């Protein structure tokens, strides 16, 4: 994906006004290229509405014949996009429409919080900029708050390093028609690693806003990723690679320029905002950017999204001061879980909540980057889960590039300790897996990990019903094959009122 601007367009309000009478004064544009190369997306569904997203792109100007010529690119003007939401794919029954202004300060991204829709139904949406028409996306509102839809299916995914594979898993996800897609982070990778890449970032690690934008744009140029976005609304949280590997809060390993890192983090957060179907941002800087939140789907389920990166203290920080979520988010989580009365309470976080001993034999070794590095914080989360008296807590995660199904306990060393929640971690879409030997050790050392499988790539599909939840781990035949197929590798059931992993 060439990096942004510049510029072959003529401002013209006439084209838009002619297409949709009544929208005179709209500042549209006439394009000589397709400005919708990054596709469309929707997210954050409520019973009344959904957020729509797109971003206009512009081709690079041809390189000047004289390589020493100074080319001063003019800024791109604001552009008005028309958006419409219809009940049918042919847009014969448009139920909402409007205009959203895309500005260069946000990379000409558009975020529209549509309201006035009916609960629990599919809609189609698209954008128009001048005469250019976006692809059509499909989205779905949430069931009304007091309604039990009886059944709800959502896919969850993580870790899609672009160079290490193709996105057949995302294509398959779109084809299986979920009601919702939850992305748990490592949507982009800032770094290249591993060998034998199937494609290339083409540039080094991003540090500036423009470089993070270009990285997102590269990933979002992938047609299978676009298909997954166009298939259903998404909820998204990030992990570390959206900024820098293994960063924690306001610091990153090996980075000594603190203010410089905070500027870089803000640039990465802004680029994330500009490429995700999240509610319109009021403006201002991205020194902080809230992604945690609770989303309800009738009385059947709610999904609580956590951010274990932005507010985290360093793993070496001492005792009581060590925090994975930050004090504010922890207090918010406690209140939010108290308000969770759904049959299934899904807690969506970045990694594995359960303990994971990485060392064979009687010795133990734990990752400092996961909840194992923040045991007191894990205890407080379990306090909140228990205090809330959730009917069926389900924890989902990613990050580890391997599939896990686990039984969450207060004391993982005690075989008879009660199971407090059931946990499923999805493998990576493409990112390199741990070694078979490491996986064998983990499986042998951790009896509460009822399933542990590396070496496969794909995603998970959860189908929630009244009597049980079923979770399928879906694996692709070969991440390096753009035409790879996918199949259900392993299915599990969780019975209503009985936390625990049941292999099907
Ligand atoms: Fe990852």
């Amino acid at each position: 994906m060439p990096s942004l601007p510049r510029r072959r367009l003529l401002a013209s309000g006439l084209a838009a006004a002619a297409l949709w009478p009544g929208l005179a004064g709209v500042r549209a544009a006439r394009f000589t290229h397709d400005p919708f190369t990054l596709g469309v997306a929707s997210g954050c569904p409520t019973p009344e509405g959904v957020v729509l997203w797109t971003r206009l792109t512009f081709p690079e100007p041809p390189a000047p014949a004289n390589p020493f010529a100074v080319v001063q690119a003019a800024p791109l003007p604001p552009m008005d996009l028309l958006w419409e939401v219809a009940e049918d794919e042919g847009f014969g029954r448009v139920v909402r429409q409007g205009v959203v202004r895309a500005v260069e300060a946000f990379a000409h991204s558009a975020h529209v919080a549509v309201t006035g829709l009916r609960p629990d139904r599919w809609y189609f949406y698209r954008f128009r900029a001048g005469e250019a028409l976006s692809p059509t996306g499909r989205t779905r509102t949430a069931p009304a708050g007091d309604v039990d839809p009886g059944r709800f299916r959502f896919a969850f995914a993580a870790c899609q390093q672009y160079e290490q594979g193709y996105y057949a898993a995302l294509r398959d996800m779109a084809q299986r028609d979920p009601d919702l897609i939850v992305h748990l982070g490592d949507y982009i990778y800032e770094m290249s690693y591993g060998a034998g890449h199937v494609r290339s970032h083409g540039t080094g690690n991003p540090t500036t806003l423009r470089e993070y934008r270009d990285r997102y744009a590269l990933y979002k140029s992938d047609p299978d990723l676009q298909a997954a976005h166009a298939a259903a609304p998404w909820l998204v949280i990030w992990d570390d690679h959206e900024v820098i590997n293994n960063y924690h809060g306001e610091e990153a390993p090996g980075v000594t320029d603190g203010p410089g890192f905070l500027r870089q983090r803000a640039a990465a957060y802004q680029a994330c905002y500009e490429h995700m179907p999240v509610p319109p941002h009021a403006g201002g800087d991205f020194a902080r950017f809230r992604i945690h939140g609770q989303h309800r789907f009738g009385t059947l389920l709610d999904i609580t999204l956590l951010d274990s990166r932005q507010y985290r203290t360093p793993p070496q920080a001492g005792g009581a001061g060590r925090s994975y979520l930050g004090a504010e988010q922890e207090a918010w989580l406690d209140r939010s879980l108290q308000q969770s009365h759904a049959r299934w309470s899904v807690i969506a976080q970045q990694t594995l909540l359960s303990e994971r001993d990485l060392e064979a034999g009687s010795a133990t070794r734990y990752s400092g980057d996961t909840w194992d590095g923040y045991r007191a914080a894990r205890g407080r989360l379990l306090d909140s889960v228990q205090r809330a008296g959730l009917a069926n807590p389900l924890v989902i995660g990613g990050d580890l590039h391997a599939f896990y199904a686990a039984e969450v306990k207060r004391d993982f060393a005690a075989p008879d300790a009660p199971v407090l929640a059931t946990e499923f971690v999805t493998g990576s879409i493409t990112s390199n897996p741990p070694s078979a030997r490491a996986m064998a050790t983990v499986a042998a050392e951790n009896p509460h990990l009822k399933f542990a499988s590396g070496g496969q790539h794909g995603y998970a599909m959860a189908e929630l019903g009244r009597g049980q939840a079923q979770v399928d781990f879906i694996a692709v035949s070969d991440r390096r094959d753009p035409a790879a197929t996918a199949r259900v590798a392993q299915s599990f059931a969780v019975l209503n009122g009985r936390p625990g992993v049941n292999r099907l």
Side-chain angles (χ1 to χ4, degrees):
M1 173 75 203
S3 66
L4 260 190
R6 308 289 94 153
R7 282 48 300 197
R8 269 171 272 144
L9 59 125
L10 303 167
S12 160
L14 294 175
L19 287 163
W20 281 340
L23 295 174
V26 164
R27 183 173 186 150
R30 195 178 299 278
F31 294 90
T32 55
H33 67 283
D34 175 11
F36 291 109
T37 54
L38 303 184
V40 295
S42 71
C44 300
T46 68
E48 301 84 31
V50 69
V51 174
L52 307 181
W53 172 92
T54 193
R55 180 189 157 197
L56 300 174
T57 56
F58 306 92
E60 281 285 359
N66 173 2
F68 300 104
V70 176
V71 178
Q72 185 63 47
L76 283 165
M79 269 166 252
D80 288 334
L81 284 76
L82 309 180
W83 57 267
E84 55 185 353
V85 176
E87 291 176 344
D88 61 315
E89 197 166 3
F91 289 82
R93 298 191 304 280
V94 172
V95 292
R96 291 279 158 200
Q97 65 179 42
V99 178
V100 59
R101 176 154 293 184
V103 299
E104 188 162 46
F106 291 125
H108 285 90
S109 60
H111 299 77
V112 183
V114 180
T115 56
L117 302 180
R118 293 199 280 172
D120 203 17
R121 60 187 61 222
W122 289 105
Y123 289 97
F124 298 86
Y125 63 93
R126 63 186 181 187
F127 294 87
R128 193 188 296 274
E131 288 169 355
L133 193 61
S134 78
T136 294
R138 202 172 73 125
T139 191
R140 187 175 177 85
T141 50
D146 56 351
V147 169
D148 178 357
R151 175 177 176 273
F152 190 91
R153 279 166 74 243
F154 70 93
F156 56 101
C159 299
Q160 51 194 36
Q161 216 284 358
Y162 181 85
E163 298 167 305
Q164 294 171 2
Y166 294 102
Y167 292 160
L170 293 165
R171 182 173 67 242
D172 183 76
M173 183 189 296
Q175 287 164 356
R176 284 183 208 245
D177 219 15
D179 297 307
L180 176 78
I181 294 170
V182 183
H183 202 290
L184 299 165
D186 290 354
Y187 182 100
I188 59 161
Y189 276 70
E190 91 291 10
M191 63 194 283
S192 295
Y193 69 102
H197 295 161
V198 299
R199 48 188 180 174
S200 170
H201 282 155
T203 52
N205 295 7
T207 57
T208 66
L209 176 56
R210 181 171 173 148
E211 290 164 351
Y212 279 108
R213 283 172 172 166
D214 287 351
R215 184 57 51 86
Y216 273 99
L218 174 71
Y219 278 55
K220 291 187 86 90
S221 68
D222 184 282
D224 293 326
L225 177 55
Q226 290 188 18
H229 274 297
W234 284 43
L235 294 175
V236 294
I237 52 177
W238 54 42
D239 195 20
D240 53 341
H241 287 289
E242 282 85 348
V243 182
I244 278 189
N245 186 34
N246 285 349
Y247 84 96
H248 32 76
E250 304 188 345
E251 296 173 30
V255 176
T256 52
D257 174 9
F261 175 68
L262 284 182
R263 279 193 301 277
Q264 179 173 346
R265 194 184 81 158
Y269 286 0
Q270 179 171 341
C272 177
Y273 163 73
E274 290 168 351
H275 293 84
M276 289 296 166
V278 294
H281 191 260
D285 69 29
F286 283 80
R288 289 264 181 270
F289 184 40
R290 178 174 165 163
I291 61 166
H292 61 277
Q294 192 172 54
H295 301 263
R296 299 182 178 199
F297 300 87
T299 60
L300 187 62
L301 76 148
D302 51 48
I303 300 179
T304 304
L305 303 178
L306 298 184
D307 179 353
S308 66
R309 281 289 163 193
Q310 185 171 189
Y311 314 107
R312 173 193 295 207
T313 55
Q316 64 276 16
R322 186 183 297 186
S323 182
Y324 205 52
L325 302 175
E328 223 171 281
Q329 186 182 188
E330 275 190 17
W332 168 86
L333 174 64
D334 189 64
R335 288 194 305 276
S336 299
L337 293 183
Q338 303 271 358
Q339 289 157 16
S340 171
H341 305 299
R343 186 177 300 265
W344 302 97
S345 295
V346 178
I347 299 171
Q349 46 81 56
Q350 281 73 15
T351 182
L352 178 72
L353 176 66
S354 296
E355 187 175 275
R356 194 176 51 133
D357 176 10
L358 301 167
E359 191 68 47
S362 55
T364 57
R365 182 169 55 88
Y366 301 98
S367 166
D369 189 55
T370 69
W371 290 92
D372 282 339
Y374 300 80
R375 286 164 180 268
R378 176 165 59 206
R380 292 193 294 275
L381 185 145
L382 294 178
D383 290 344
S384 292
V385 166
Q386 286 196 285
R387 215 170 8 245
L390 304 176
N392 290 292
L394 284 182
V395 180
I396 61 171
D399 171 53
L400 300 176
H401 306 180
F403 289 94
Y404 289 101
E407 296 184 338
V408 183
K409 298 174 174 187
R410 181 71 69 167
D411 180 357
F412 292 96
D416 297 333
V419 178
L420 303 182
T422 319
E423 176 166 30
F424 296 94
V425 167
T426 182
S428 70
I429 294 288
T430 52
S431 307
N432 282 352
S435 71
R437 187 164 162 208
M439 288 307 298
T441 301
V442 164
E445 293 294 309
N446 300 276
H448 56 280
L449 300 180
K450 301 299 178 188
F451 181 85
S453 173
Q456 288 180 302
H457 301 274
Y459 65 98
M461 184 76 83
E463 177 169 339
L464 308 186
R466 294 189 179 118
Q468 69 166 37
Q470 180 171 329
V471 176
D472 296 336
F473 287 161
I474 297 173
V476 293
S477 52
D478 180 359
R479 65 177 161 149
R480 302 172 60 81
D481 175 6
T485 56
R487 64 178 184 90
V488 176
Q490 181 64 51
S491 294
F492 306 90
V494 182
L495 304 180
N496 180 32
R498 290 180 50 196
V501 175
N502 302 283
R503 268 203 215 210
L504 296 177

